[in-house]
Amino acid sequence: MKHNIILIGYMGSGKSTIAKELHRVTGMEVIDADAAIVEEQGRSINEIFQTDGETAFRDLETDLLRRLSERTSDYILSTGGGMPLREENRTILKNLGIVFFLKADTDTIFERIKEDTQRPLLQGTDQRAKIARMLEERTPIYECAADHVIETDGRTVNEIAWEIIHIRAIVKQGIF
Ligand code: S3P
């Protein structure tokens, strides 16, 4: 069984920030799925969505996950918020490592992303309602994709990172 740390959750739930903290504490390599796609494509996420559409972006995500399946060394994967939506992706994610769902509520997310211009799915008016609606749709999917649900509201980045490290250590010992 692989013990990579896989972080899933909605946009603005803190995946990239927690991944950096986990790297700081453990030294494990971080793979940021969005950043990897942007680098490989030489285009921003906005450009990919605008030119090729969301389905094409989702295909790039699946392709990246298939390639990651070949890797063995320990890493932290920070996923894009929509990665677990496809059933194939959920299966691959579970096989890649221990999947942690970073759970945050609408207000927390809204505060973090209200100025954002880089996330195509959150542009336009009435962002808060959009977030609330998408969270309602996606939360059961994230829960189904996850091995562990990590509550993040009102907690520090360091606390969250240590909870993940402890769970991973226990899983590695075969106790969970
Ligand atoms: C998306 C989340 C984004 C990015 C794209 C689509 C989503 O990643 O992959 O804009 O569908 O939730 P972050 O969760 O890192 O913002």
Side-chain angles (χ1 to χ4, degrees), residues 9-137:
Y10 192 72
M11 295 172 263
S13 59
K15 295 169 301 224
S16 304
T17 309
I18 302 296
K20 279 190 198 124
E21 179 69 358
L22 285 166
H23 168 72
R24 193 185 67 78
V25 176
T26 65
M28 286 166 74
E29 179 192 358
V30 175
I31 300 170
D32 184 300
D34 283 347
I37 291 172
V38 165
E39 196 185 322
E40 287 178 7
Q41 291 293 308
R43 299 182 284 168
S44 69
I45 307 266
N46 269 333
E47 281 174 83
I48 300 171
F49 267 71
Q50 269 164 27
T51 318
D52 301 346
E54 181 174 346
T55 307
F57 176 74
R58 300 296 175 206
D59 289 341
L60 294 172
E61 290 188 311
T62 302
D63 180 60
L64 176 69
L65 285 181
R66 287 187 189 140
R67 282 181 286 132
L68 281 177
S69 303
E70 320 280 304
R71 285 180 66 132
T72 48
S73 62
D74 277 352
Y75 56 82
I76 300 153
L77 173 65
S78 174
T79 61
M83 244 186 183
L85 300 181
R86 277 194 185 173
E87 193 182 347
E88 178 183 356
N89 294 357
R90 292 199 290 277
T91 306
I92 300 178
L93 288 168
K94 278 246 163 90
N95 287 329
L96 287 184
I98 312 164
V99 183
F100 296 92
F101 165 31
L102 302 184
K103 198 168 187 178
D105 69 18
T106 303
D107 288 338
T108 307
I109 289 168
F110 178 68
E111 281 310 311
R112 289 194 189 137
I113 55 88
K114 61 184 178 194
E115 314 285 343
D116 185 273
T117 56
Q118 299 305 311
R119 291 176 167 106
L121 296 179
L122 289 179
Q123 302 313 305
T125 52
D126 218 353
Q127 271 192 338
R128 186 190 288 269
K130 212 179 271 179
I131 294 166
R133 198 180 55 244
M134 287 176 86
L135 271 185
E136 202 175 305
E137 276 168 24

